[in-house]
Amino acid sequence: MVVSASLFINDPLELAEILGISATPLETVHKIYPFRVSRYYLDLARQHGAPLLKQIVPDLLEVQENETPIDPLAEEVLSPTPCLIHKYPDRAVLLVSRECATYCRFCTRKRKVGTEKMHMEENHFLEALSYLRATPAIRDVLISGGDPLLLSDERLDYILKSVRAISSVKTIRLGTRIPCTLPMRVTEHLVAVLSKHHPLYVNLHFNHPAEITPEAEAACSLLANAGIPLGCQTVLLKGVNDSVEVLRQLFYRLLAARVKPYYLFQADLTRGTAHFRTTIDTGMNIMRQLQGNMSGMALPTYALDTPGGGGKIPLYPSYLQELGSQCLFHTYRGQTGKYPNTTWPVE
Ligand SMILES: *Cc1c(COP(=O)(O)O)cnc(C)c1O
Ligand code: SF4
C-alpha cells in the first residue's frame, strides 16, 4: 500500500472547518507542535466524541504549561547516537521514522516527533547499527519513532534485515499505533515482510475501546495470523480512559483481538501534556478494582517511566504486609489471611 497524502488532514484550518470550531487556537498550537490526523481516525473520533477527540485536537493548554521538561525521560542524554536510546542493559530503542499517521497530543516525544528536530538521515541509521554491533549485551531491539509502519514495506524489510544480521540481537520489537489510527496500512504484503524476520513482537497502542473497530480487528488478525505476538501499551489519560469501566472494556476487547495488554503507563511529565495527567492514586484505584475481577491475561502492568531516565517501575497496589515470620495478605475481595514466610524443614 502506498501511504498517500489524501489519507490525512495536516491543515488545522481543515480540522476547524470539519469540527465547526475556531481555527485560531489550533494554529497557535500547530506552530509549536505538529498536527495531523488520519481521515479514518477523525471519522471515528467524531462518532465517539471527547475521549477520542481529546487525543487528536490541538488544545491551547499544550502551549500554556512550561514547567515540565521537554525530555523528561532524558532520552537525548541516553542516546549514544542520534537514532538510538540505550537505557537498560539488554535492550535499546531504535528510532526509524519521524512521522506518525496521527499526532497524539499527549506524545512523550512531542519535542521532536513530526518535526525537523527529529533527525533520520541514513548515516544515523548506520551509526546505530554499528553501536548495536559493538554492544552485544543488547539482545532486544525496539523499533520505534514516530511510527515505523509509515515507512514503505521495502524500507521496513531493509531495516529488519539489517538488525537481524546482528547475531547478538535475539528479539526485535516494533512499536506502532497504525492498527489504531490507520488500520488499512496493515496489508497481506506488509505482514509477509514482517514475518520474514521472526522472532518479531509488535506492540500496539490503543487507549479506548471505541478504537477497536472491525478495521482495527482485521489489522490485528493479519498480524496475529502471521505468528506475530501482539501487545498493547496504553497511556492512562484524563478524560480519555481514566475509569474502571472504560479500561475494563478496552482490555477485554484487546484480548479478544488477540492483543495482550502489556503496559498501562502513568502519563510522563512531558511539557505540553500536563492536562492529560491523572494522579497515581487514580491509576492504583483502577488497578485495584480490576485485579481479580478480570482475567489475568487482560491485565497490563501499570507502570511509571521514572523522570530522569531511571527506567520503568511497576506501580502495584500492595496486597502483602510482612509480620515477622508471617506475611499478612489482603485478597482482591478484601479478605485477609496469613502465609508463612519460612521454609521447611527448619535448618
Ligand atoms: C520502555 C523502554 C524499553 C523497553 O522496556 P520494557 O520494560 O522491556 O518493555 C527499552 N528502552 C527504552 C529507552 C524504553 O523507554
Ligand atoms: S503514535 Fe506514538 S510516537 Fe506517534 S504521536 Fe502518537 S504517541 Fe507519539
Side-chain angles (χ1 to χ4, degrees):
M1 173 192 178
V2 181
V3 181
S4 97
S6 63
L7 291 166
F8 309 107
I9 297 174
N10 292 299
D11 182 357
L13 282 178
E14 191 178 347
L15 179 73
E17 206 164 290
I18 293 173
L19 296 180
I21 57 174
S22 162
T24 319
L26 303 185
E27 293 204 292
T28 306
V29 177
H30 180 58
K31 281 186 200 128
I32 301 173
Y33 300 117
F35 161 75
R36 174 186 283 168
V37 67
S38 64
R39 294 185 188 276
Y40 162 84
Y41 194 90
L42 180 59
D43 283 348
L44 193 65
R46 292 179 72 199
Q47 290 166 45
H48 293 278
L52 272 59
L53 287 170
K54 276 193 83 150
Q55 297 184 56
I56 56 163
V57 179
D59 191 316
L60 270 185
L61 292 172
E62 291 173 46
V63 296
Q64 288 168 348
E65 182 262 324
N66 287 311
E67 287 144 46
T68 45
I70 57 168
D71 181 19
L73 307 179
E75 291 190 335
E76 303 298 338
V77 179
L78 293 165
S79 294
T81 75
C83 294
L84 199 78
I85 309 165
H86 188 197
K87 171 150 88 175
Y88 298 105
D90 70 337
R91 54 210 189 279
V93 174
L94 176 62
L95 304 176
V96 299
S97 159
R98 171 194 289 158
E99 293 178 60
C100 300
T102 291
Y103 292 120
C104 312
R105 306 321 304 172
F106 52 84
C107 180
T108 288
R109 295 199 187 115
K110 209 174 167 71
R111 68 183 180 281
K112 63 177 182 179
V113 164
T115 76
E116 295 299 315
K117 288 180 208 144
M118 194 144 185
H119 299 290
M120 284 285 139
E121 284 96 63
E122 187 62 13
N123 64 318
H124 294 142
F125 176 64
L126 299 175
E127 274 176 52
L129 288 179
S130 302
Y131 183 89
L132 291 173
R133 243 177 257 119
T135 319
I138 298 175
R139 46 183 304 131
D140 184 11
V141 172
L142 287 72
I143 296 180
S144 178
D147 201 313
L149 293 194
L150 272 194
L151 301 174
S152 69
D153 293 357
E154 293 66 37
R155 176 73 187 162
L156 283 165
D157 196 21
Y158 165 73
I159 290 170
L160 289 166
K161 204 186 309 169
S162 307
V163 175
R164 224 347 121 227
I166 303 169
S167 61
S168 44
V169 175
K170 305 300 178 197
T171 51
I172 302 178
R173 288 193 246 177
L174 191 147
T176 175
R177 211 180 173 197
I178 285 282
C180 175
T181 54
L182 196 67
M184 49 296 281
R185 167 70 186 92
V186 180
T187 59
E188 294 275 1
H189 189 264
L190 171 68
V191 300
V193 166
L194 296 180
S195 63
K196 287 182 359 196
H197 305 286
H198 277 309
L200 174 75
Y201 292 71
V202 171
N203 271 337
L204 312 178
H205 177 174
F206 289 92
N207 293 326
H208 193 277
E211 294 170 346
I212 321 268
T213 60
E215 290 91 337
E217 284 171 335
C220 294
S221 256
L222 274 175
L223 291 162
N225 288 348
I228 301 170
L230 301 176
C232 181
Q233 308 196 160
T234 297
V235 187
L236 182 60
L237 299 165
K238 193 162 77 185
V240 173
N241 60 11
D242 56 339
S243 85
V244 173
E245 264 330 297
V246 168
L247 286 178
R248 188 201 311 274
Q249 275 190 46
L250 172 65
F251 298 151
Y252 273 144
R253 294 184 73 168
L254 284 169
L255 204 57
R258 287 189 278 171
V259 182
K260 166 83 185 81
Y262 175 50
Y263 275 131
L264 172 66
F265 286 121
Q266 174 62 23
D268 291 327
L269 292 178
T270 307
R271 184 175 303 172
T273 68
H275 55 296
F276 282 106
R277 198 165 73 231
T278 68
T279 62
I280 289 182
D281 275 352
T282 298
M284 289 283 219
N285 283 331
I286 292 173
M287 290 310 289
R288 195 181 275 285
Q289 290 177 72
L290 297 180
Q291 176 69 43
N293 290 307
M294 273 188 95
S295 164
M297 281 294 290
L299 281 187
T301 301
Y302 177 41
L304 171 70
D305 213 338
T306 56
K312 298 177 182 71
I313 52 167
L315 302 173
Y316 288 118
S318 173
Y319 292 89
L320 210 59
Q321 268 168 276
E322 268 186 55
L323 291 177
S325 61
Q326 297 279 340
C327 285
L328 180 69
F329 62 79
H330 307 265
T331 70
Y332 75 96
R333 289 186 165 138
Q335 295 148 332
T336 56
K338 283 183 184 162
Y339 186 91
N341 198 17
T342 54
T343 53
W344 185 94
V346 179
E347 277 152 27

